[in-house]
Amino acid sequence: MENIKLNIEKTLDFIAKDKLASYEEKVRACMETLEKGTGLGNDFLGWLHLPSSITKEHLADLKAAAQTLRENCEVVVVAGIGGSYLGARAVIEALSDSFAWLKEKKAGNPTIIFAGHNISEDYLYELTTFLKDKKFGVINISKSGTTTETALAFRLLKKQCEEQRGKETARKVIVAVTDAKKGAARTTADKEGYTSFIIPDNVGGRFSVLTPVGLLPIAVAGYDIEKLVAGACEMEKVCANGNLHENPSALYAATRNELYREGKKIEILVNFHPKLHYFMEWWKQLFGESEGKDHKGIYPSSVDFTTDLHSMGQWIQQGERSIFETVVSIETPNHELHFPSDEENLDGLNFLAGKRIDEVNKMAELGTQLAHVDGGVPNLHVSVPTLNEYYLGELIYFFEKACGISGYLLEVNPFNQPGVEAYKKNMFALLNKPGYEKESEAIQARLKK
Amino acid sequence: MENIKLNIEKTLDFIAKDKLASYEEKVRACMETLEKGTGLGNDFLGWLHLPSSITKEHLADLKAAAQTLRENCEVVVVAGIGGSYLGARAVIEALSDSFAWLKEKKAGNPTIIFAGHNISEDYLYELTTFLKDKKFGVINISKSGTTTETALAFRLLKKQCEEQRGKETARKVIVAVTDAKKGAARTTADKEGYTSFIIPDNVGGRFSVLTPVGLLPIAVAGYDIEKLVAGACEMEKVCANGNLHENPSALYAATRNELYREGKKIEILVNFHPKLHYFMEWWKQLFGESEGKDHKGIYPSSVDFTTDLHSMGQWIQQGERSIFETVVSIETPNHELHFPSDEENLDGLNFLAGKRIDEVNKMAELGTQLAHVDGGVPNLHVSVPTLNEYYLGELIYFFEKACGISGYLLEVNPFNQPGVEAYKKNMFALLNKPGYEKESEAIQARLKK
């Protein structure tokens, strides 16, 4: 079976070839630091050999829990934020029918809804209203159980589920994905007797899609988590290669770091396949949160082409030359549709008649690559044979490993996120959370100025 | 009635106050250039006094056409891309129930689906499959009728609509929004006898949401286009003021240009209200396509908070100090939901009990503003009384006028988009489009190298 492939040829006009060669040794050193666990953030390296350590029994447990939810729910609300949200959503949306939401769902194949990822009163009002006549279940994903967004939604949803379906059924259709021992979500799960799964201590949120955090919702949505893990396993092997040009993760990490040094401050992740939209959001967290610190880091951005060629395309073609693009390209679509001929040909499109739609899309992709490279935008290209669980697994591990290496090349700790606490601390102070009395006083004084 | 308000106080630690004052005169000159039509791109100033020139009769015509579609369709497909897509989607999504798509729709209040904005074979296959048992109509939005993405989808949809509903009904439920006289979509509309509306020659795509391009789909979705236009009219008046500090469009344009000069290369448009997601996409096209040229221009990016505080938040707080934020804040939600108390309080959230969810959201917003400003991110704040048609109209015109002024301050032509043609030309050459024989030969030779 073919693997995903990285092509950096269209960056070579922008970076000196010997520059890239100079990364050979650096990359090998970063990989060794990861393997030996001797670098910054070494408490959070559980993702590194996660794929190959997942057992059949673990997957069977996840599938059994998923099956219970599938059989007993018309709707399953996945409550989580950040790393407890984006991985599952990325995979589910990539694999779902574009119009799945418009199709009637029922117990057996429930609709997946995401919540606990915002504090929007309208969103939560409309969610609880929508759920009023639904047989719904909840997956509560939170390491601590006190992340405001998720805890807030979960309190509302637990109450509603118990009221609508009775305490006993609620216990069956609420599942917790949380810490093994501590925290509010663990306490609640144990007390209520929920089925629960563990978020390992050594896997950070943005690297957690192959833990139950991602695997359970993906299984509930009806997708094959064994294949997903198998793809990740394959990449775990491929990306262990110490040779820069035989290891796509290493090559990607080196290339983007060199581009960054050359003044390319923004990386735009590109798809020509709208279902990858949330995969790009997952990628933005992975790289943004890992590298955006110490006043450093490439700014991660993303576009859905050709849609956004008609919005961001102008900027990309002719704006500041501070960007590069990484295209995630799907070689073969899952469906086949040929463009029909038309006798009158008023739209002048008969030159496309008989072609597959994807052939046009691919020429848009190639045409865009050439145009943007001509315009001064280096282009990396990740080729994916087709969009299924296996290759999403490959993509996930490819980017995770690349991120670990890339962060070490940049000389930051890629596994912490100290900056995320700043707004929370202010918010708690403003809301007079117990324990924040001093901060409350200070912030109120500041606001009065 | 209150208007939307701009507050730039939290940028003043980052730009010298006298610097802003120096824009007084420049801004007035730009506004005069716009009014007199003496600047670059002066063929495309139709948006400037568009709101006040829209007649009751025009709105009545639009509403009548919308009513025909609403009564005769379960689904209406809006086919368009770029400016013929984002404006309508921005307004419709901002006003819709978060779970509207999951609710059963029927003739009388049809589901709105967007198409013609990508070349995805899977998307079009799944769309045409989904529509197979639906009474659907189409709004075909294209100035020329030959924009590849939209023309491709429209050929498929027209054929399917005629086959499923019969030629006669199809004529009633297909509406064209296109050029007054020329182009493929005009020819087809006249030949088939479709109801049609005109895209004025002097309004560019990204400024066209208040033409039938946006107004018709918005009316079909059941929203009040009179209120939308009324809001825009109000801002047309407010933003005619020549005094920098009394004209929010002028002040926004001046502030962001000065921040750009100071090295703030990326503007992040922020919402704390997920329904505004597509409004931010509309804004990205408006500013990106208007300013991203001549190797200049702020890179427009957007985030949905608090969701993305858990993905991009780290970068924003501690990454390169090359960014500023503009928050679009909604003062009052449309629904009311109070956070319940819980006897056991395992999640420790009883300090929020009895509060409205929005109160928590507002403290997240304020806490984030303080944290990001402390971290070196200048913050602009646009306050919107509530999310309805009227204030969306205000926001639309506010940003359009600001964009015109801002582009002139940057000394680019804000009304062209020459860079968008580059990928199209290559694509046509690669697809052997008639008339591109020379380009085909050249590009094939290039690829063989």
Side-chain angles (χ1 to χ4, degrees):
Chain A
M1 191 143 54
E2 258 191 310
N3 288 328
I4 61 167
K5 280 197 195 81
L6 173 69
N7 187 330
I8 62 152
E9 205 187 306
K10 298 286 184 204
T11 67
L12 298 178
D13 285 347
F14 301 91
I15 49 182
K17 232 187 173 164
D18 57 329
K19 276 278 174 60
L20 215 51
S22 78
Y23 279 84
E24 282 273 4
E25 208 174 319
K26 279 187 260 180
V27 157
R28 214 172 286 132
C30 294
M31 285 173 65
E32 204 180 296
T33 307
L34 284 171
E35 283 302 329
K36 293 195 176 161
T38 52
L40 291 169
N42 54 7
D43 285 354
F44 291 95
L45 293 172
W47 58 271
L48 189 61
H49 295 295
L50 179 63
S52 60
S53 71
I54 295 172
T55 64
K56 281 210 166 155
E57 292 69 32
H58 181 57
L59 292 175
D61 285 350
L62 285 162
K63 286 198 281 187
Q67 197 50 35
T68 302
L69 287 173
R70 283 172 68 77
E71 278 165 15
N72 292 285
C73 303
E74 298 161 326
V75 174
V76 173
V77 184
V78 178
I81 192 166
S84 298
Y85 157 63
L86 284 168
R89 186 155 197 177
V91 173
I92 292 170
E93 303 245 342
L95 297 173
S96 296
D97 186 285
S98 310
F99 303 93
W101 278 40
L102 286 166
K103 293 177 183 177
E104 216 185 328
K105 291 295 193 76
K106 44 189 184 281
N109 189 25
T111 298
I112 307 293
I113 291 180
F114 295 90
H117 62 317
N118 63 46
I119 321 178
S120 163
E121 186 158 345
D122 286 346
Y123 189 87
L124 287 168
Y125 177 92
E126 288 163 358
L127 174 62
T128 49
T129 304
F130 171 74
L131 292 173
K132 265 187 186 143
D133 58 353
K134 303 291 184 303
K135 288 183 185 146
F136 76 93
V138 184
I139 305 176
N140 185 34
I141 309 176
S142 176
K143 182 81 175 157
S144 66
T146 49
T147 300
T148 312
E149 290 85 346
T150 307
L152 215 141
F154 183 65
R155 187 186 276 201
L156 290 166
L157 292 167
K158 176 177 185 282
K159 194 164 164 278
Q160 184 173 358
C161 189
E162 288 170 351
E163 280 167 13
Q164 275 175 221
R165 309 196 67 180
K167 267 236 157 206
E168 202 172 327
T169 303
R171 278 192 192 105
K172 202 160 77 177
V173 296
I174 298 179
V175 177
V177 180
T178 186
D179 191 86
K181 290 179 190 160
K182 38 179 211 309
R186 168 53 57 201
T187 312
T188 306
D190 290 348
K191 203 185 136 282
E192 300 284 1
Y194 297 154
T195 301
S196 70
F197 292 92
I198 292 167
I199 308 179
D201 284 332
N202 61 354
V203 179
R206 58 189 174 275
F207 289 87
S208 71
V209 53
L210 299 174
T211 73
V213 167
L215 295 178
L216 181 64
I218 292 165
V220 171
Y223 299 111
D224 188 337
I225 53 176
E226 285 182 19
K227 271 187 166 177
L228 187 78
V229 170
C233 263
E234 172 65 16
M235 267 300 117
E236 188 186 327
K237 275 183 232 159
V238 170
C239 297
N241 193 316
N243 186 331
L244 183 62
H245 288 275
E246 287 166 16
N247 178 340
S249 287
L251 189 60
Y252 176 57
T255 309
R256 64 197 295 283
N257 268 276
E258 184 51 27
L259 287 166
Y260 180 56
R261 274 162 212 254
E262 304 269 346
K264 305 301 181 192
K265 301 286 196 177
I266 301 170
E267 178 173 4
I268 305 177
L269 197 69
V270 177
N271 71 70
F272 283 78
H273 212 87
K275 289 184 188 185
L276 286 173
H277 177 82
Y278 273 95
F279 190 85
M280 320 250 122
E281 291 297 312
W282 171 83
W283 171 89
K284 276 160 69 177
Q285 182 191 8
L286 183 65
F287 280 86
E289 204 162 270
S290 298
E291 299 193 324
K293 49 197 67 162
D294 308 340
H295 294 185
K296 292 199 267 193
I298 295 169
Y299 184 85
S301 186
S302 66
V303 289
D304 304 325
F305 283 169
T306 61
T307 304
D308 294 337
L309 281 170
H310 293 250
S311 59
M312 291 298 293
Q314 169 63 38
W315 203 105
I316 295 168
Q317 189 71 46
Q318 302 185 324
E320 287 210 7
R321 302 299 74 191
S322 52
I323 55 174
F324 66 98
E325 287 182 314
T326 299
V327 178
V328 178
S329 172
I330 309 294
E331 283 172 40
T332 314
N334 286 312
H335 297 294
E336 200 169 329
L337 182 66
H338 293 259
F339 191 64
S341 185
D342 183 86
E343 224 171 88
E344 299 184 273
N345 194 29
L346 288 173
D347 53 19
L349 289 184
N350 270 354
F351 71 102
L352 301 177
K355 284 193 202 300
R356 283 186 66 167
I357 304 293
D358 190 59
E359 201 177 330
V360 185
N361 205 26
K362 285 292 184 301
M363 292 305 107
E365 189 183 314
L366 179 55
T368 302
Q369 186 194 51
L370 297 172
H372 289 184
V373 169
D374 288 347
V377 182
N379 184 290
L380 291 90
H381 190 271
V382 181
S383 180
V384 182
T386 191
L387 200 47
N388 61 22
E389 289 91 335
Y390 186 84
Y391 289 115
L392 283 167
E394 288 205 355
L395 276 175
I396 285 166
Y397 190 86
F398 159 71
F399 279 121
E400 286 182 352
K401 184 74 181 275
C403 186
I405 300 171
S406 187
Y408 280 166
L409 284 174
L410 188 65
E411 298 179 351
V412 298
N413 177 350
F415 307 116
N416 68 357
Q417 52 285 329
V420 179
E421 298 309 309
Y423 95 89
K424 291 187 199 169
K425 210 183 108 189
N426 288 341
M427 176 175 73
F428 292 145
L430 288 162
L431 288 165
N432 299 310
K433 184 173 177 173
Y436 284 77
E437 290 76 9
K438 262 176 93 171
E439 289 86 351
S440 293
E441 218 173 293
I443 210 163
Q444 291 303 340
R446 177 179 176 179
L447 290 173
K448 271 179 203 143
K449 268 185 199 161
Chain B
M1 193 144 53
E2 258 191 307
N3 287 328
I4 61 166
K5 280 196 195 79
L6 173 69
N7 186 330
I8 62 153
E9 205 187 308
K10 299 285 184 205
T11 67
L12 298 178
D13 285 347
F14 302 91
I15 48 182
K17 231 186 171 163
D18 57 327
K19 275 279 173 61
L20 214 52
S22 79
Y23 279 84
E24 283 273 3
E25 208 174 318
K26 281 188 260 180
V27 158
R28 213 171 287 132
C30 293
M31 286 174 64
E32 203 180 297
T33 306
L34 284 171
E35 283 301 329
K36 292 194 176 162
T38 52
L40 292 168
N42 55 8
D43 285 354
F44 291 95
L45 293 172
W47 58 273
L48 189 60
H49 295 294
L50 179 62
S52 60
S53 71
I54 295 172
T55 63
K56 281 210 166 157
E57 292 70 32
H58 181 56
L59 292 175
D61 285 350
L62 285 163
K63 287 197 280 183
Q67 197 49 35
T68 302
L69 287 173
R70 284 173 67 77
E71 278 164 15
N72 292 285
C73 302
E74 298 160 326
V75 175
V76 173
V77 184
V78 177
I81 192 167
S84 297
Y85 157 63
L86 284 168
R89 186 154 197 178
V91 172
I92 291 169
E93 303 245 342
L95 297 173
S96 296
D97 185 284
S98 309
F99 303 92
W101 276 40
L102 285 168
K103 294 176 184 179
E104 216 185 327
K105 291 294 193 80
K106 44 190 185 279
N109 188 24
T111 296
I112 307 293
I113 290 181
F114 296 90
H117 62 317
N118 62 47
I119 320 178
S120 163
E121 187 158 344
D122 285 345
Y123 189 89
L124 287 168
Y125 177 92
E126 288 163 356
L127 174 62
T128 49
T129 304
F130 172 74
L131 292 173
K132 263 184 185 145
D133 59 353
K134 303 291 184 301
K135 288 183 184 147
F136 75 93
V138 184
I139 304 177
N140 185 35
I141 308 176
S142 176
K143 181 82 176 158
S144 66
T146 50
T147 300
T148 311
E149 289 85 346
T150 307
L152 215 141
F154 183 65
R155 187 187 275 200
L156 291 166
L157 292 167
K158 174 176 186 282
K159 195 165 163 277
Q160 184 172 358
C161 189
E162 288 170 352
E163 280 167 14
Q164 274 176 222
R165 309 196 66 180
K167 267 236 155 205
E168 202 172 326
T169 304
R171 277 191 194 107
K172 203 159 80 177
V173 296
I174 298 178
V175 177
V177 180
T178 186
D179 192 87
K181 290 178 189 160
K182 37 180 209 309
R186 168 53 58 201
T187 311
T188 306
D190 289 348
K191 203 185 136 279
E192 299 283 0
Y194 298 153
T195 302
S196 70
F197 292 91
I198 293 167
I199 307 178
D201 285 331
N202 61 353
V203 180
R206 59 189 175 275
F207 289 85
S208 71
V209 52
L210 299 174
T211 74
V213 167
L215 295 178
L216 181 63
I218 293 164
V220 171
Y223 299 111
D224 187 337
I225 55 176
E226 284 182 19
K227 271 187 166 176
L228 187 78
V229 170
C233 263
E234 173 65 16
M235 266 301 116
E236 187 185 327
K237 273 184 233 157
V238 170
C239 298
N241 193 317
N243 186 331
L244 182 60
H245 289 274
E246 287 166 17
N247 178 341
S249 286
L251 188 60
Y252 176 58
T255 308
R256 65 196 295 284
N257 268 275
E258 183 52 28
L259 287 166
Y260 181 57
R261 274 163 212 252
E262 304 269 347
K264 304 301 180 193
K265 301 287 196 176
I266 301 170
E267 177 174 4
I268 305 177
L269 197 68
V270 177
N271 71 70
F272 283 77
H273 212 86
K275 289 185 189 184
L276 286 173
H277 176 83
Y278 273 96
F279 190 85
M280 321 250 122
E281 291 298 312
W282 171 82
W283 171 89
K284 276 159 70 178
Q285 181 190 10
L286 182 64
F287 280 86
E289 203 162 90
S290 298
E291 299 192 324
K293 49 197 68 162
D294 308 341
H295 294 185
K296 293 198 268 194
I298 294 169
Y299 185 84
S301 187
S302 66
V303 289
D304 302 326
F305 284 168
T306 61
T307 304
D308 294 338
L309 280 171
H310 294 250
S311 61
M312 292 296 294
Q314 169 63 38
W315 203 106
I316 295 168
Q317 188 72 45
Q318 300 185 326
E320 287 210 8
R321 302 299 73 190
S322 53
I323 54 174
F324 66 98
E325 289 183 312
T326 300
V327 178
V328 178
S329 172
I330 309 295
E331 284 172 39
T332 313
N334 286 313
H335 298 294
E336 200 169 330
L337 181 66
H338 293 259
F339 191 63
S341 185
D342 183 85
E343 225 171 87
E344 300 184 272
N345 194 30
L346 288 173
D347 54 17
L349 289 184
N350 270 354
F351 71 101
L352 301 177
K355 284 194 201 299
R356 284 186 65 168
I357 304 293
D358 190 58
E359 200 177 331
V360 185
N361 205 27
K362 285 291 185 300
M363 292 306 107
E365 188 183 314
L366 179 56
T368 302
Q369 186 194 51
L370 296 172
H372 289 184
V373 170
D374 288 347
V377 182
N379 183 290
L380 290 91
H381 190 272
V382 181
S383 179
V384 182
T386 193
L387 200 47
N388 61 23
E389 291 91 334
Y390 185 84
Y391 289 115
L392 284 166
E394 287 203 355
L395 276 175
I396 286 166
Y397 191 86
F398 159 71
F399 279 121
E400 287 182 352
K401 184 74 181 277
C403 185
I405 299 170
S406 186
Y408 280 166
L409 284 174
L410 189 65
E411 297 179 351
V412 299
N413 177 350
F415 307 115
N416 69 358
Q417 53 284 330
V420 180
E421 299 309 310
Y423 96 90
K424 292 187 199 169
K425 210 183 111 190
N426 287 341
M427 174 175 74
F428 292 144
L430 289 162
L431 288 166
N432 299 312
K433 184 174 177 170
Y436 284 77
E437 290 76 9
K438 261 176 93 171
E439 288 86 351
S440 293
E441 218 174 295
I443 210 162
Q444 291 303 341
R446 176 180 178 180
L447 291 173
K448 269 178 206 147
K449 268 187 202 161

